[in-house]
Amino acid sequence: MAFRLSPHPMGVTELKTGRCLDINDACLEMFGFRRDDVIGQPTLLLDIWPDPQDRARLIERLTSELSVRNLDVPLRMKHGGLRHFLISADVVMLGKTRCLLIIGNDITEHKRAEEALRDVREELENRVRERTGELERTNAALIESEERFRTFLDHAANLAFIKTTDGRYLYVNRRFEQAFCLDHKSIVGKTDEELFSREQADQFRADDRTALEAGTAMEFEETPCYADGLHTTIALKFPMRDKSGHIYAIGGIVTDINERKRTEETLQLQQKQLHDLTAKLIKAQEDERQRIARELHDDVSQRLAALVLDVASLERQPPLLPELIGKSLEPVREQLEQLSDDLHNLAYKLHPSLLQHAGLQPAVEDHIREVTKRTGLSVSLKVHRMSGSLSLDHSTCLFRVLQESLQNVAKHACATEATVKLSGSSKGVGLSVTDNGKGFDASDKSAHHKGLGLTSMQQRLRLLNGFLRVHSRPTEGTKICAWVPVKKEEA
Ligand SMILES: Nc1ncnc2c1ncn2[C@@H]1O[C@H](COP(=O)(O)OP(=O)(O)O)[C@@H](O)[C@H]1O
Ligand SMILES: [Mg+2]
C-alpha cells in the first residue's frame, strides 16, 4: 500500500535479470510509461539508463553491501529528457527470488536551481573581477597622472595652489610650502583666514572672488608676507570647471616679482649715483684745475715775479764786493729751493711719480711719511706678502684709496692713530686703513653720497672688478678695506 501511494518513484526488479516486477504510480507518471510497457521488461531495454555503467555499478555495490543509499544518477524519461535522482536500493527476497527494491528522490529541480545559482555566481564573480581590474587600471592611471602633475609643479619656480570655491586649499606646490614655511598637511583643508593674517586673507579672497565672478582667468598684483618678509607678486587666478561647466575650484599661479622690482630699483639707484657722480667729477675736475691755476697764478707766478724783481735789482745794482754777491744771492736761492719743493709737491699730488717708478709699497710709505709730517697723525704700516707685480692702474687705484681714506681720517675722524695694511696673495692685493676715531654710521647710505670720496673709491674699484668695504659705527672707529684682483698675466 505504502509502495503504491508513495509520492516518490519506486520499483521492484529481479536482481539477476533486471526485469521489472512492480512499479508505483508516481514512478509511471514521472517516467511517462504505461504499466504494461514496463512490467516484465528488463529496465535496460526500457532505455532509462543513459549510462548503462551506472546500473552495473549499482548492482555491483548491492551484491557486496546489500544496500545503497542516495546514489546520484541521471535517468532517461520515455520522451527522452533526463532527470536526476538520488537512488536508494535494498536487496529483498520475494519468495525465492532476490529482488531489488528501488526508491528514487527526484532532485532535478534542485540541481537545476543549484546550477543556475552557480552560473549566476560565476557570472557575478567574473563581472566583479572585470570591474576590479578596470578600477585598478583607472586607479593606477590616476595615481600616475597625479604624480606627474605634482612632480611638474613641484619643480616650478612659481607658487601654485587650488582652492575650493569657498576658499579651502585642495592643493599647494612645494614653492608655496617653502614661501610660507608651512607643510602640505597644515595647509590643505584650511582657509586663508585660518592660515594668514586678516589683511592678507582679505586680499587673497577678494581677488579669488573677482576671478570667480568674472568666470575667467585674471591677473592681480598682490603683496603676500612670506616667511622672509613682504613680497610683490603677480597672481594669475582662474576658475576650474567640471565636465558640465560647473565651477568647482579656483586655481592660482603666483610669480614673485620682488627680485625684478629690487633689480629695477637698484638699477635706478645706480643710474642716479652714476649721474650724480659724473656731475661731481666734472665739478671736482674744474675745482682742481682752478686750484692748480690759482696756485700757479697766485703763488708760483707771484713768487717768480718777485724773484725776477730781485734778480733785476741785483742786475741793476750788483754788489761791489765779491763776498757780498753770495750774501745777496742767498735769499734768491732759498726762494728758488722752496719754489722747487712746492712745485714738486704740486706735481706729486697730481700724480705721485714714485708709484710709477718704484711701485705701490714705496709710494704708500712715502705718502704715510708726508701725512704724518703734515697732520701729526701717527700712522703705522703693516705689509704682508707684497710681490710688487701690480699694474699701474691697480696700484694707482689702491693709492687713491689710501690718500682719500687718510684724508678722511684727518678731516672727519678726530683720531690719534691709524693703521695701514697692505697684503698680497696670488689672487689680488688688499689695502685697509683703520683709525681709532669717532666713526660714523656706515649703513646709512646717505653718508656715502654727501661727499665724493667714498663713492669715487667704490667706482674706481668696481671698474677694476675689485671691491670696497666700509666698516664703521659711531664711537667705534672706521675701517676701510679695498681689494683688487691681480690680472692673470701679472700673477
Ligand atoms: N674715517 C672716518 N671717520 C669718521 N667719519 C668718516 C670717516 N670717513 C668718512 N666719514 C664720513 O663719511 C662722509 C663721506 O665721506 P667722503 O665720501 O669721503 O666725503 P667727504 O670727505 O667729502 O665728506 C664724511 O662726510 C664723514 O661724515
Ligand atoms: Mg673725503
Side-chain angles (χ1 to χ4, degrees), residues 316-377:
R316 267 195 320 274
Q317 290 176 319
L320 293 174
L321 295 173
E323 58 269 30
L324 287 181
I325 295 180
K327 194 107 184 104
S328 32
L329 279 179
E330 198 180 294
V332 176
R333 181 186 44 79
E334 279 171 358
Q335 280 186 57
L336 276 171
E337 273 171 6
Q338 187 60 50
L339 198 58
S340 162
D341 271 0
D342 290 353
L343 270 175
H344 177 265
N345 277 343
L346 188 66
Y348 178 85
K349 269 190 205 152
L350 291 177
H351 190 86
S353 55
L354 255 182
L355 204 52
Q356 200 160 1
H357 302 305
L360 180 63
Q361 192 179 329
V364 167
E365 284 163 359
D366 185 63
H367 185 67
I368 289 175
R369 261 194 306 277
E370 190 268 324
V371 170
T372 309
K373 201 170 98 189
R374 182 163 46 85
T375 64
L377 186 73

Side-chain angles (χ1 to χ4, degrees), residues 237-408:
K237 299 190 167 185
F238 46 91
M240 297 175 74
R241 297 171 194 273
D242 60 18
K243 269 192 195 144
S244 61
H246 172 75
I247 297 176
Y248 69 94
I250 176 152
I253 296 173
V254 184
T255 311
D256 199 327
I257 55 167
N258 235 28
E259 215 38 53
R260 203 196 308 164
K261 272 232 150 131
R262 212 177 296 151
T263 318
E264 268 169 25
E265 279 167 11
T266 319
L267 207 71
Q268 269 173 8
L269 190 75
Q270 281 182 350
Q271 263 167 355
K272 188 176 174 308
Q273 279 177 2
L274 199 70
H275 182 265
D276 291 353
L277 189 68
T278 316
K280 279 185 195 166
L281 275 176
I282 292 170
K283 187 170 178 311
Q285 201 179 29
E286 276 314 306
D287 288 352
E288 184 72 352
R289 281 182 184 165
Q290 275 178 21
R291 191 181 66 79
I292 296 164
R294 214 178 311 123
E295 214 149 307
L296 288 174
H297 174 269
D298 297 357
D299 186 43
V300 178
S301 68
Q302 299 295 330
R303 279 155 71 188
L304 277 173
L307 276 170
V308 169
L309 288 180
D310 284 355
V311 173
S313 103
L314 274 176
E315 216 174 30
R316 267 195 320 274
Q317 290 176 319
L320 293 174
L321 295 173
E323 58 269 30
L324 287 181
I325 295 180
K327 194 107 184 104
S328 32
L329 279 179
E330 198 180 294
V332 176
R333 181 186 44 79
E334 279 171 358
Q335 280 186 57
L336 276 171
E337 273 171 6
Q338 187 60 50
L339 198 58
S340 162
D341 271 0
D342 290 353
L343 270 175
H344 177 265
N345 277 343
L346 188 66
Y348 178 85
K349 269 190 205 152
L350 291 177
H351 190 86
S353 55
L354 255 182
L355 204 52
Q356 200 160 1
H357 302 305
L360 180 63
Q361 192 179 329
V364 167
E365 284 163 359
D366 185 63
H367 185 67
I368 289 175
R369 261 194 306 277
E370 190 268 324
V371 170
T372 309
K373 201 170 98 189
R374 182 163 46 85
T375 64
L377 186 73
S378 147
V379 186
S380 57
L381 173 68
K382 290 182 183 160
V383 183
H384 176 68
R385 287 185 51 195
M386 280 300 292
S387 69
S389 62
L390 213 54
S391 77
L392 187 61
D393 273 359
H394 289 65
S395 43
T396 306
C397 174
L398 288 181
F399 188 80
R400 294 296 183 211
V401 170
L402 175 79
Q403 274 185 312
E404 177 62 32
S405 301
L406 282 180
Q407 188 178 319
N408 277 350

Side-chain angles (χ1 to χ4, degrees), residues 280 404-415 433-435 437-441 446-457 470 472 477-480:
K280 279 185 195 166
E404 177 62 32
S405 301
L406 282 180
Q407 188 178 319
N408 277 350
V409 177
K411 199 161 125 192
H412 307 291
C414 311
V433 178
T434 315
D435 68 60
K438 64 179 186 185
F440 68 106
D441 183 2
S446 67
H448 294 232
H449 305 312
K450 267 198 292 184
L452 195 58
L454 293 176
T455 329
S456 70
M457 285 196 269
V470 181
S472 187
T478 303
K479 181 173 184 180
I480 307 281

Side-chain angles (χ1 to χ4, degrees), residues 85-102:
F85 293 90
L86 287 179
I87 283 179
S88 298
D90 288 290
V91 176
V92 291
M93 294 301 287
L94 283 184
K96 288 192 175 158
T97 321
R98 280 153 70 87
C99 296
L100 279 185
L101 173 62
I102 305 175

